[in-house]
Amino acid sequence: MTRLAHFAYLGLLVVVACVVLFPLYYAVVGSLMSDASLVRFPPALVLTEFEWRNYLRVLESFPLARQYFNSMLVAGSIVLGVLVTSVLSAYAFVFIDFPLRRTAFAAFMATMMIPVESLIIPKYLLVADLGWINAYPGLIVPFIATGFGTFLMRQFFMTFPSEIREAATMDGCGHLRFIWTILVPLSRHALGVLAVYIFIVSYNQFFWPLLVTNTPSMQTLQIGLASLDSAEARSPSIIFAGVVFAIAPTLVLFYVFQRNIVRGLTAGAVK
């Protein structure tokens, strides 16, 4: 690659990065501006004042602190449940030989093809019969098992040498001990990818929490932001502050686990 082509490539990457990061930048800048600065034309893109009180106004306007806690609790519980069920089911499909194993796995994967919308009513009726409306179990339990998680972990487990499992069996290592002491530590990158993906999906849920909760104290942050948008339409700075509150956990999560994400996505690509 010539030097000119190298600089052109870097310039293209910078342009793409600016386009991708501009909404995030404007959300942060807008959360620190006054309403007058946000609505003027042309729009202000550089901070000339710092309205830190916008964040306090968000917490004072709605119970966003409780809704923030609800979102973190629900997303974290779903991530933990998905990791446990995915590891156990993927282990069974890879390391345990039972009749119709391939057929069972195909049926398991077929659940990924079912439209989510077609399951809303059955899930709601089941949650209502169990008395989980407006309760944490109704927000968490329906999502603690996914076909995608099992598929991802199965594909990763298939890269493990069979000699490791055979050696562990000869040493008297049972299924659960092998999973906890050998399989899980060696699968931390794949587990990190799955955890980040499930957290983002669970954290950004809107329709299901709106359906099964009926009080602000049990609603999640996404519903609170929608309520904030409708109630504070004349105060865009408060809306931006609420948006910054919402995106902060995902940014921190991605920053902390970025190495795990890259390694998990490339694991098994090269033998």
Side-chain angles (χ1 to χ4, degrees):
M1 181 182 291
T2 64
R3 179 172 297 183
L4 180 60
H6 179 70
F7 282 111
Y9 179 70
L10 291 179
L12 178 62
L13 291 180
V14 170
V15 172
V16 173
C18 291
V19 172
V20 173
L21 294 177
F22 179 76
L24 175 62
Y25 167 79
Y26 192 67
V28 175
V29 170
S31 67
L32 297 173
M33 288 184 178
S34 63
D35 293 335
S37 299
L38 279 173
V39 299
R40 75 183 184 188
F41 185 83
L45 300 179
V46 179
L47 277 175
T48 57
E49 55 188 338
F50 291 87
E51 294 287 341
W52 298 103
R53 195 174 181 279
N54 290 336
Y55 291 97
L56 296 178
R57 292 170 62 193
V58 170
L59 299 178
E60 293 171 356
S61 300
F62 283 87
L64 286 186
R66 175 58 185 265
Q67 293 170 349
Y68 195 92
F69 170 78
N70 292 342
S71 292
M72 297 297 292
L73 176 63
V74 170
S77 301
I78 292 176
V79 168
L80 181 61
V82 169
L83 291 181
V84 172
T85 57
S86 298
V87 168
L88 294 178
S89 57
Y91 176 84
F93 284 125
V94 174
F95 294 102
I96 299 178
D97 188 13
F98 58 89
L100 302 176
R101 182 172 63 174
R102 292 181 179 273
T103 303
F105 179 72
F108 203 84
M109 291 298 97
T111 60
M112 298 174 60
M113 303 180 185
I114 301 176
V116 177
E117 292 78 8
S118 64
L119 300 176
I120 292 296
I121 295 178
K123 280 184 179 181
Y124 179 82
L125 294 177
L126 178 61
V127 168
D129 290 339
L130 293 173
W132 289 349
I133 297 297
N134 206 44
Y136 289 121
L139 293 168
I140 297 171
V141 175
F143 303 98
I144 61 174
T146 65
F148 173 77
T150 300
F151 173 76
L152 179 66
M153 297 311 302
R154 175 184 178 270
Q155 297 306 110
F156 186 80
F157 289 167
M158 290 179 68
T159 64
F160 274 71
S162 59
E163 290 80 4
I164 296 179
R165 181 69 185 101
E166 294 172 359
T169 303
M170 293 178 63
D171 288 340
C173 187
H175 293 300
L176 293 180
R177 184 181 176 189
F178 175 74
I179 292 173
W180 181 251
T181 60
I182 299 176
L183 201 59
V184 169
L186 294 177
S187 306
R188 61 185 183 276
H189 299 308
L191 291 172
V193 172
L194 180 60
V196 171
Y197 171 76
I198 296 300
F199 180 88
I200 293 175
V201 172
S202 305
Y203 182 77
N204 290 324
Q205 284 190 101
F206 178 81
F207 183 70
W208 180 256
L210 180 64
L211 189 65
V212 298
T213 58
N214 47 40
T215 59
S217 61
M218 284 302 302
Q219 290 175 342
T220 58
L221 184 61
Q222 308 303 329
I223 302 175
L225 289 179
S227 302
L228 186 67
D229 188 13
S230 61
E232 300 289 342
R234 295 183 180 179
S235 183
S237 59
I238 294 184
I239 298 175
F240 275 121
V243 170
V244 173
F245 268 124
I247 63 179
T250 56
L251 293 178
V252 173
L253 191 69
F254 179 79
Y255 178 78
V256 172
F257 291 99
Q258 57 180 329
R259 290 188 176 182
N260 284 23
I261 294 173
V262 174
R263 292 178 181 176
L265 291 176
T266 58
V270 180
K271 289 189 177 181

